[in-house]
């Protein structure tokens, strides 16, 4: 009997020990699991926060990087414009240098002779206006002879203008170059058929004073006619 009771007691104690160990192990397992879950949550939270923060910072950095790039583009454009400006300035004198480019003919000085005569009026004193008669020279020569320099492309009108300016002689002309008065002697002073005409190298030419180009050595004579040029050798 004693042995049977002893065995029963041992079994109960073993069972209690096993249960105690079981509860203890269960408690330790729960305690250990909680820190792991907490650590996992913390790690997940820690992983999420830096990633989001870096993403924002990275985007911000990229945006900031974009701004300097735009500034760099602007600076490049400015440098390009600065480089072009001296080149354009350097090219401008070349374009304007007609002698180098050959786009304009150099001005060539020429010498022509100009004379002005109203000698025909001397034979028409009776029909000449009294005021005009007082302005007629005794020999009829308003300008005996004057040499003037002209440039390439200048005309009979230009030669007359320079000759009159040289001797302080006043003349009147319209925009087309038609000469209506020289030295105060106007057209119509000796009737309706009177007025001024001209010859170049002794010949009457067709065209106005601004239309006839002169060459070096030409001679221009301005003549006053009292009857449409017949008295100065002109024939229609």
């Amino acid at each position: 009997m004693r042995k049977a009771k002893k065995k029963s007691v041992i079994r109960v104690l073993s069972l209690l020990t096993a249960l105690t160990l079981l509860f203890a192990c269960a408690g330790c397992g729960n305690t250990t699991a909680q820190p792991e879950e907490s650590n996992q949550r913390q790690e997940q939270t820690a992983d999420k926060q830096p990633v989001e923060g870096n993403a924002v910072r990275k985007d911000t950095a990229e945006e900031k990087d974009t701004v300097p790039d735009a500034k760099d583009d602007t600076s490049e454009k400015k440098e390009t414009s600065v480089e072009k400006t001296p080149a354009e300035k350097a090219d401008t004198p070349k374009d304007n240098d007609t002698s180098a480019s050959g786009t304009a003919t150099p001005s060539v000085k020429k010498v022509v002779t100009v004379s002005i005569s109203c000698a025909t009026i001397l034979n028409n004193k009776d029909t000449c206006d009294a005021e005009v008669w007082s302005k007629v020279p005794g020999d009829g020569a308003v300008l005996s002879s004057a040499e003037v320099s002209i440039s390439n492309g200048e005309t009979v009108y230009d030669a007359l203008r320079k000759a009159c300016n040289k001797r302080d002689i006043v003349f009147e002309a319209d925009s087309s170059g038609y000469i209506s008065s020289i030295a105060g002697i106007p057209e119509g002073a000796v009737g309706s058929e009177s007025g001024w005409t001209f010859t170049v190298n002794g010949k009457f030419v067709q065209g106005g004073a601004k239309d006839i180009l002169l060459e070096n050595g030409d001679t221009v004579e301005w003549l006053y006619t009292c009857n449409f040029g017949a008295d100065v050798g002109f024939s229609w």
Side-chain angles (χ1 to χ4, degrees):
M1 289 292 290
R2 289 180 181 178
K3 290 181 178 180
K5 288 182 180 180
K6 188 176 180 178
K7 290 180 178 180
S8 297
V9 171
I10 291 170
R11 290 178 178 175
V12 170
L13 291 172
S14 298
L15 181 62
L16 290 173
T17 302
L19 291 174
T20 302
L21 291 172
L22 181 63
F23 283 118
C25 290
C28 291
N30 291 335
T31 305
T32 304
Q34 288 177 355
E36 290 179 357
E37 291 178 357
S38 176
N39 290 335
Q40 289 178 355
R41 291 178 183 177
Q42 290 177 356
E43 290 176 358
Q44 290 176 356
T45 304
D47 291 338
K48 288 181 181 180
Q49 289 177 351
V51 169
E52 291 178 356
N54 288 335
V56 172
R57 290 176 185 175
K58 186 176 181 180
D59 294 340
T60 305
E62 291 178 355
E63 290 177 358
K64 290 181 179 180
D65 291 339
T66 304
V67 173
D69 290 340
K71 291 181 180 180
D72 292 338
D73 293 340
T74 306
S75 62
E76 289 177 358
K77 291 180 180 178
K78 289 182 178 179
E79 290 176 0
T80 303
S81 62
V82 170
E83 290 176 357
K84 287 182 178 179
T85 303
E88 291 174 355
K89 290 181 178 180
D91 290 339
T92 302
K94 292 181 181 179
D95 294 339
N96 293 335
D97 188 2
T98 56
S99 60
S101 62
T103 55
T105 304
S107 178
V108 178
K109 293 295 182 181
K110 303 176 182 180
V111 177
V112 298
T113 303
V114 179
S115 63
I116 306 171
S117 175
C118 61
T120 55
I121 299 179
L122 298 175
N123 299 324
N124 295 277
K125 181 178 179 180
D126 295 340
T127 57
C128 180
D129 181 82
E131 184 178 353
V132 173
W133 178 260
S134 64
K135 298 178 182 178
V136 175
D139 59 355
V142 177
L143 176 62
S144 298
S145 179
E147 290 186 347
V148 294
S149 297
I150 62 171
S151 300
N152 193 36
E154 290 194 305
T155 64
V156 170
Y157 176 87
D158 296 314
L160 174 64
R161 174 178 55 80
K162 292 182 178 183
C164 289
N165 290 340
K166 194 173 184 180
R167 298 296 179 87
D168 294 327
I169 299 171
V170 178
F171 74 100
E172 297 178 8
D174 61 15
S175 59
S176 67
Y178 176 77
I179 305 302
S180 59
S181 176
I182 299 177
I185 304 173
E187 63 178 348
V190 190
S192 59
E193 297 180 353
S194 61
W196 289 97
T197 186
F198 65 89
T199 65
V200 177
N201 298 328
K203 297 180 180 179
F204 292 95
V205 293
Q206 293 182 347
K210 284 188 176 181
D211 301 324
I212 309 302
L213 298 176
L214 295 177
E215 298 296 337
N216 185 45
D218 284 345
T219 298
V220 179
E221 295 180 274
W222 283 90
L223 305 170
Y224 193 89
T225 177
C226 297
N227 56 356
F228 277 135
D231 53 351
V232 290
F234 177 78
S235 62
W236 294 91

